[in-house]
């Protein structure tokens, strides 16, 4: 009989297979030792059947072999299959890539890495972006937006520094305010400017006075009216200079008090002379016959001309003008 477990040929009547020790108590001896065996499942196909009664596969009826040959063929197939299973090992691919060999690194691997230029450009772009954002945040468009310095104009004349200062100095190293003049410097500069203006007014008065003897007596109405306008402007200029001198503060320091008095006296002499000249031209411009009204025209000038003696305003002014020029102290 044939062992149904290992396929070994064993003597009939044994209850245990001597090869594989399988229990043969339930094994029945096939009475027919020849027949057709299914090549797919190995079942015995009855004689004359064209399909396997177990698996239904078609059976080749041309070839009939003995049961021993069929079993031997089956055992040979099983051994070949077993050898194939034990001689070839399955190849398992790892999901983790292996480390590259530095000695055999390909060009393709090198190209996949970022180049040095890419790193440099990225670093420069990052610096520009961060620097730009920092500049925008810390330096707004209005540089004086967060300036806490006092910039309200203040009059400091009572503190010994006449004039208006737009911003306090000393709050930082850079200040927008110009340096203020001291009281003495401002007094001297104002006195000197007024003194020089008096000389200009005196020269214009000399010209108008000399034209009284010509245009004022025999000139046309238009010329006399134009001269009157000049005399009017000259009177206003003399009055303004005298007012400027009188407003100069010399009480705070007292340095230029005597010089202010001298310049103020010159302005008074000159203003009196200019007013007399204006009165004379006013009569001349209003006269329809200036030649006949000569005495009326020149009447305001009596005692105010240089030829009238040393007590005339013009003589007092010209005698003391150079001597009373302001001197800085």
């Amino acid at each position: 009989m044939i062992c149904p477990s290992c396929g070994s040929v064993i003597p009939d009547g044994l209850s245990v297979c001597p090869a594989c020790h399988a229990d043969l108590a339930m094994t029945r001896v096939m009475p027919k030792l020849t027949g057709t065996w299914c090549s797919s499942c190995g079942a015995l196909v009855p004689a004359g059947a064209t399909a396997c009664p177990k698996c239904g596969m078609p059976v080749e009826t041309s070839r009939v072999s003995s049961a021993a040959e069929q079993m031997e063929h089956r055992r040979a197939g099983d051994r070949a299959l077993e050898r194939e299973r034990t001689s070839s090992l399955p190849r398992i691919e790892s999901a983790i890539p292996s480390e590259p060999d530095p000695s055999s690194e390909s060009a393709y691997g090198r190209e996949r890495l970022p180049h040095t230029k890419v790193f440099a450009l990225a670093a420069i772009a990052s610096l520009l972006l961060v620097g730009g954002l920092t500049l925008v945040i810390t330096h707004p468009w209005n540089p004086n937006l967060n300036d806490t310095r006092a910039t309200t104009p203040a009059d400091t004349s009572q503190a010994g520094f006449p004039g208006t200062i737009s911003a306090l100095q000393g709050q930082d190293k850079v200040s927008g305010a110009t340096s203020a003049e001291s009281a003495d410097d401002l007094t001297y500069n104002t006195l000197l400017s007024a003194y020089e203006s008096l000389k200009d007014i005196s020269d214009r008065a000399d010209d108008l006075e000399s034209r009284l003897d010509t245009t004022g007596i025999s000139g046309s109405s238009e010329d006399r009216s134009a001269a009157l306008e000049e005399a009017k402007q000259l009177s206003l200029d003399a009055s303004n200079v005298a007012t400027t001198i009188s407003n100069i503060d010399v009480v705070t320091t007292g340095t230029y008090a005597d010089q202010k008095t001298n310049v103020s006296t010159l302005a008074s002499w000159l203003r009196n002379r200019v007013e007399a000249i204006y009165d004379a031209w006013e009569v001349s411009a209003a006269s329809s016959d200036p030649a006949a009204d000569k005495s009326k025209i020149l009447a305001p000038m009596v005692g105010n001309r240089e030829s009238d003696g040393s007590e005339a305003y013009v003589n007092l002014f010209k005698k003391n003008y150079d001597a009373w020029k302001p001197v800085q102290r």
Side-chain angles (χ1 to χ4, degrees):
M1 62 176 295
I2 298 174
C3 177
S5 178
C6 65
S8 300
V9 180
I10 58 176
D12 296 336
L14 294 180
S15 60
V16 177
C17 177
C20 63
H21 306 285
D23 187 8
L24 302 177
M26 300 301 295
T27 302
R28 184 172 59 87
V29 179
M30 294 292 293
K32 187 177 181 179
L33 299 179
T34 60
T36 302
W37 299 87
C38 179
S39 59
S40 297
C41 65
L44 179 64
V45 180
T50 60
C52 178
K54 184 176 182 180
C55 64
M57 292 297 293
V59 178
E60 297 180 2
T61 58
S62 59
R63 181 177 179 272
V64 179
S65 59
S66 62
E69 291 177 353
Q70 294 285 346
M71 187 58 66
E72 184 64 25
H73 176 72
R74 187 175 178 183
R75 292 174 59 188
D78 292 341
R79 288 194 296 270
L81 181 61
E82 185 68 20
R83 285 194 302 268
E84 183 179 355
R85 291 176 180 175
T86 57
S87 61
S88 60
L89 296 177
R91 181 177 180 180
I92 301 175
E93 295 290 342
S94 175
I96 303 176
S98 60
E99 295 183 359
D101 188 1
S103 61
S104 61
E105 184 179 3
S106 62
Y108 175 77
R110 292 194 299 270
E111 291 178 356
R112 295 181 62 184
L113 295 176
H115 294 283
T116 306
K117 293 182 179 179
V118 176
F119 286 110
L121 291 176
I124 294 174
S126 300
L127 289 176
L128 292 177
L129 178 60
V130 174
L133 291 176
T134 304
L135 183 63
V136 170
I137 295 173
T138 59
H139 294 76
W141 293 112
N142 184 7
N144 297 323
L145 181 62
N146 299 321
D147 191 0
T148 59
R149 294 177 296 176
T151 56
T152 302
D155 186 4
T156 60
S157 59
Q158 300 302 322
F161 295 93
T164 300
I165 300 178
S166 60
L168 296 179
Q169 296 182 358
Q171 292 183 332
D172 48 24
K173 294 183 179 179
V174 179
S175 175
T178 57
S179 59
E181 292 180 313
S182 65
D184 287 343
D185 290 342
L186 183 60
T187 299
Y188 169 75
N189 292 332
T190 306
L191 276 176
L192 183 62
S193 177
Y195 173 83
E196 293 173 349
S197 297
L198 293 176
K199 180 64 171 61
D200 177 68
I201 294 174
S202 177
D203 293 341
R204 291 162 59 191
D206 291 344
D207 177 65
L208 282 174
E209 181 181 343
S210 64
R211 287 159 58 189
L212 277 172
D213 297 327
T214 55
T215 305
I217 302 301
S218 58
S220 63
S221 177
E222 291 78 5
D223 292 341
R224 287 181 283 124
S225 297
L228 176 61
E229 292 298 324
E230 292 182 31
K232 183 178 180 179
Q233 184 61 49
L234 184 64
S235 177
L236 290 175
D237 292 343
S239 177
N240 291 334
V241 173
T243 302
T244 299
I245 296 172
S246 64
N247 291 334
I248 297 177
D249 179 22
V250 294
V251 178
T252 302
T253 62
T255 304
Y256 293 96
D258 54 343
Q259 297 192 36
K260 174 188 174 181
T261 300
N262 294 338
V263 176
S264 180
T265 301
L266 291 175
S268 298
W269 289 339
L270 183 59
R271 183 170 58 180
N272 291 335
R273 180 194 176 194
V274 169
E275 288 178 354
I277 295 175
Y278 173 74
D279 292 340
W281 276 110
E282 189 175 26
V283 175
S284 175
S287 176
S288 58
D289 187 2
D293 296 333
K294 178 178 180 181
S295 59
K296 294 181 181 180
I297 295 173
L298 297 180
M301 298 303 300
V302 175
N304 289 318
R305 289 198 164 190
E306 191 172 356
S307 58
D308 291 340
S310 59
E311 296 301 322
Y313 293 128
V314 58
N315 292 332
L316 292 174
F317 180 86
K318 292 183 177 180
K319 178 181 178 181
N320 295 284
Y321 181 79
D322 292 335
W324 286 353
K325 179 179 180 180
V327 178
Q328 190 171 15
R329 297 175 179 175

